[in-house]
Amino acid sequence: MTRVAAIDCGTNSIRLLIADVNADVNTGAATAAGGATGQPTPRLTDIVREMRVVRLGQGVDSTGELAQEALERTFAATRDYAALIREHGVEQVRFVATSATRDARNRQVFVDGIRAILGVEPEVITGDEEAALSFAGASSVLPSRGEDPVLVVDLGGGSTEFVLGNADGVIAARSVDVGCVRMTERHLRSDPPTPEQIAAAEADVDAAISEAAQTVPLERTTVVVGVAGSVTTITAHALRLPEYSPAAIHGTELDLDAVRKACTELLEMTREERAALPYMHPGRVDVIGAGGLVWRRVLQRLADVTGGRITTAVASEHDILDGIALSIR
């Protein structure tokens, strides 16, 4: 057993997972996170799981640089995480940064600051690496489906990853530059957004899905699993939860009509209306409408290209953060 800490620093949030990694014997088929039948497969036991909305990607889409105030918010959260890592006797740490940091000209300021606080080198990973880690995290808690292709969609703040895989691992993956923060800053500036703004955002998202489809055969999808905060918050809205509950959300499978209805409602609400929802994190209030827009378009495309075979969507609370933890050796 090894105690590890995984940190996922995205465009909107920074998250920490401290977990014990145990090697169990896998009696099923091979998985993206582990080995073949009869081989030890890592299993995570959570110790600490935390999330802070720091909006590292503030303005990156327009300026190409990480804003100083965004860096300070991120460094402050990392200092808190470093204290938790020391407190819980972590043996190995992996810090992964994704879309906003990939896009920023001044990423070295970020890298130097994190190294000074945490004592480890932050990894600015590629979109393909992000996609593979997302699939490993999501698939680690899904029942094995053998050769049936499962599509994991990681809807982030700056990018969205499409990862098709099965029990043998990743078949194809593509990361595209649409996410809830990027689309909000680029298009959805009114409260609520205008039809013209929505149409412009949808055009960007549709083009990005078409780009992903050049690499990922979306038509082969048999099950779609959505991960990250936008998808889980949309699921909480569809369920009308009295509060945000990971246990109630994780593994929930909903009809596409119910999911798309929830997406549309969140997109068309005012900021004040969204803020009043009992399951809405304050840091998601101004970007969840764009998250709903992206998820709605993705699900519509999947229904179309599979000839109506995809009629439901699954939400997972396990994602790239779990994949990072499982990758630590």
Side-chain angles (χ1 to χ4, degrees):
M1 185 177 71
T2 304
R3 181 157 292 183
V4 303
I7 299 177
D8 165 36
C9 187
T11 300
N12 196 46
S13 64
I14 183 170
R15 300 181 299 152
L16 168 70
L17 171 61
I18 298 175
D20 289 333
V21 184
N22 301 277
D24 290 344
V25 174
N26 176 27
T27 56
T31 68
T37 300
Q39 298 299 314
T41 299
R43 179 175 59 84
L44 298 176
T45 302
D46 287 14
I47 305 300
V48 173
R49 195 180 281 261
E50 284 206 5
M51 186 271 287
R52 308 276 182 88
V53 173
V54 294
R55 195 63 58 81
L56 178 62
Q58 173 191 329
V60 169
D61 188 57
S62 57
T63 68
E65 293 193 347
L66 299 168
Q68 186 60 40
E69 59 267 34
L71 285 165
E72 290 303 326
R73 290 192 297 267
T74 306
F75 293 158
T78 304
R79 291 187 192 97
D80 291 343
Y81 287 175
L84 286 168
I85 287 168
R86 291 191 297 269
E87 176 186 339
H88 289 279
V90 168
E91 300 167 60
Q92 296 183 65
V93 180
R94 187 179 185 191
F95 186 112
V96 165
T98 55
S99 177
T101 316
R102 281 198 298 267
D103 294 347
R105 289 189 296 268
N106 62 338
R107 70 177 66 89
Q108 195 60 45
V109 177
F110 168 83
V111 170
D112 292 344
I114 296 297
R115 188 195 307 113
I117 295 167
L118 206 57
V120 300
E121 189 77 10
E123 303 171 51
V124 183
I125 62 172
T126 67
D128 287 345
E129 290 173 312
E130 184 175 357
L133 287 169
S134 295
F135 185 82
S139 63
S140 69
V141 293
L142 294 174
S144 174
R145 296 183 57 82
E147 296 182 358
D148 291 345
V150 174
L151 181 71
V152 173
V153 181
D154 185 346
L155 201 173
S159 65
T160 296
E161 282 67 51
F162 294 79
V163 197
L164 191 72
N166 57 21
D168 294 323
V170 174
I171 296 169
R174 186 71 172 265
S175 177
V176 292
D177 286 339
V178 293
C180 61
V181 174
R182 195 184 296 269
M183 291 298 97
T184 299
E185 292 186 348
R186 187 180 292 179
H187 297 296
L188 307 184
R189 299 189 179 96
S190 300
D191 180 27
T194 67
E196 292 76 17
Q197 290 171 351
I198 291 172
E202 287 181 334
D204 269 8
V205 173
D206 289 348
I209 298 171
S210 295
E211 179 186 338
Q214 293 176 12
T215 303
V216 181
L218 300 179
E219 68 281 357
R220 292 180 57 189
T221 303
T222 59
V223 175
V224 57
V225 180
V227 302
S230 284
V231 172
T232 58
T233 302
I234 291 162
T235 303
H237 182 64
L239 294 172
R240 298 298 195 267
L241 296 181
E243 61 183 4
Y244 190 92
S245 169
I249 294 166
H250 181 62
T252 293
E253 184 173 7
L254 295 173
D255 288 343
L256 293 192
D257 287 345
V259 180
R260 288 189 294 234
K261 181 174 182 287
C263 291
T264 299
E265 288 173 350
L266 290 167
L267 176 60
E268 295 179 351
M269 283 180 181
T270 65
R271 191 183 192 285
E272 183 179 6
E273 289 170 335
R274 293 194 297 268
L277 298 172
Y279 36 79
M280 184 66 62
H281 190 286
R284 297 203 186 280
V285 171
D286 57 341
V287 297
I288 190 61
L293 182 148
V294 175
W295 193 219
R296 185 176 70 179
R297 299 306 290 179
V298 168
L299 295 179
Q300 184 60 57
R301 180 69 68 92
L302 287 171
D304 292 343
V305 300
T306 61
R309 182 174 66 249
I310 296 299
T311 59
T312 62
V314 179
S316 174
E317 286 279 349
H318 295 265
D319 52 25
I320 185 173
L321 190 61
D322 301 75
I324 295 166
L326 289 165
S327 73
I328 299 173
R329 296 289 186 267

